[in-house]
Amino acid sequence: MPAQGKHRRTKSVSLSRGIAAVTTGGAVLALPVLGATTASAAPAHSVVAEKAVAPVSVTAQVNSVTKAAPAKHSVVAGETLSKIAREYSVSGGWKKLYEGNRKAVGENPNLIHPGIKLTIGANAAAPSDAKAGKAAKAAAPSAGRAATAERADRSERTAAPVAQAAPAAAAPATYSNDLDGWIKESLAIMAERGIPGSYEGIHRNIIRESSGNPNAINNWDSNAVKGTPSKGLLQVIDPTFQAYHVPGTSTDSYDPVANITAACNYAADRYGSIDNVFGAY
């Protein structure tokens, strides 16, 4: 092969090493030309503008959510503070929600009644804005990190127990209008007042004193002679009935329940209990 072939230089080399001079308002800029058809870089100012615009639009979206007015929520059956806090994305969870509504909820955060009005607060997004708020947080790196931290915090917290409906008020006890019912009603009143006595002790003394007749009266003994005859189921004289009358019962000494409780109150004071009475007392 001819020797001179090794020392030839192609014209394309000189083009790749050339310098293009461009004048702009009298100034000369030296730009290296890497190739005849090489594409030039996009203007620097366009990149800066794009970087400046993106955060602003994201910030506006976040602010539009966080500046929402405080929301009002009416509790419905089956809801809990924990569920409501998640629904409104309350920062701080159900504990924060309870702190802001302690007066309305009461001392037990586990027990919220349907119809209670809760104020959610300015920092909580309304349910309809929750998706928009999450999208804005995902677009902004710092907001995304905050959302991740909040989710992690919520997962570690123990949810408030499900609120249970308040127990219905116990229906008042009913008693039959006979000797059995009178004794049982008297025993219930005596239990509230701390007066001792048993069904057997009361029943035994009633049968001996009046045979179970609430209108029985003794007009022949010494008390009758003094003008204070014994009356009722347990044959109580009026002075004794008045002295040992139990508040909340009838003031009529013939009333079966009033007569029994007054007589048992007297027997407890004098004998320790109606159960200790086996004769005239």
Side-chain angles (χ1 to χ4, degrees):
M1 180 178 283
Q4 69 269 16
K6 295 181 180 180
H7 301 287
R8 291 182 180 177
R9 299 177 63 188
T10 63
K11 293 182 180 181
S12 61
V13 174
S14 61
L15 290 176
S16 64
R17 302 295 184 181
I19 303 297
V22 180
T23 62
T24 305
V28 178
L29 300 178
L31 301 176
V33 180
L34 301 179
T37 60
T38 302
S40 60
H45 71 275
S46 64
V47 175
V48 174
E50 290 176 359
K51 291 183 178 179
V53 170
V56 172
S57 61
V58 171
T59 302
Q61 294 179 40
V62 174
N63 289 341
S64 66
V65 174
T66 59
K67 291 182 180 180
K72 291 289 186 179
H73 179 85
S74 180
V75 176
V76 298
E79 286 189 319
T80 65
L81 291 180
S82 177
K83 178 180 178 181
I84 296 170
R86 286 196 300 271
E87 181 181 352
Y88 286 87
S89 299
V90 175
S91 179
W94 71 268
K95 292 182 179 179
K96 187 67 176 179
L97 182 60
Y98 174 57
E99 290 176 4
N101 294 274
R102 189 185 188 96
K103 185 175 181 180
V105 175
E107 294 301 320
N108 188 356
N110 298 331
L111 187 63
I112 57 174
H113 302 289
I116 290 178
K117 302 294 184 182
L118 301 180
T119 300
I120 304 303
N123 291 330
S128 59
D129 297 334
K131 293 183 179 180
K134 290 181 180 179
K137 290 179 181 179
S142 59
R145 286 192 296 272
T148 301
E150 171 64 16
R151 286 194 297 271
D153 181 60
R154 277 204 305 270
S155 65
E156 294 176 357
R157 290 195 301 266
T158 302
V162 175
Q164 298 180 353
T174 57
Y175 303 95
S176 57
N177 188 27
D178 54 20
L179 183 58
D180 179 71
W182 300 330
I183 295 175
K184 289 179 179 178
E185 184 174 356
S186 296
L187 285 170
I189 296 172
M190 290 164 59
E192 293 177 355
R193 299 285 179 172
I195 301 172
S198 68
Y199 186 100
E200 189 279 330
I202 296 173
H203 186 271
R204 169 169 44 82
N205 281 283
I206 287 176
I207 297 302
R208 187 189 68 250
E209 293 291 339
S210 66
S211 298
N213 178 11
N215 296 314
I217 183 170
N218 187 327
N219 288 316
W220 57 85
D221 65 2
S222 59
N223 288 318
V225 172
K226 295 177 184 178
T228 55
S230 302
K231 301 176 181 179
L233 290 173
L234 283 171
Q235 293 293 282
V236 183
I237 62 176
D238 284 341
T240 301
F241 178 82
Q242 293 167 8
Y244 290 93
H245 172 259
V246 176
T249 62
S250 173
T251 56
D252 180 4
S253 63
Y254 283 109
D255 179 85
V257 175
N259 188 279
I260 293 173
T261 53
C264 288
N265 196 21
Y266 164 73
D269 183 46
R270 186 166 182 180
Y271 303 101
S273 171
I274 190 69
D275 294 344
N276 299 328
V277 178
F278 293 91
Y281 63 111

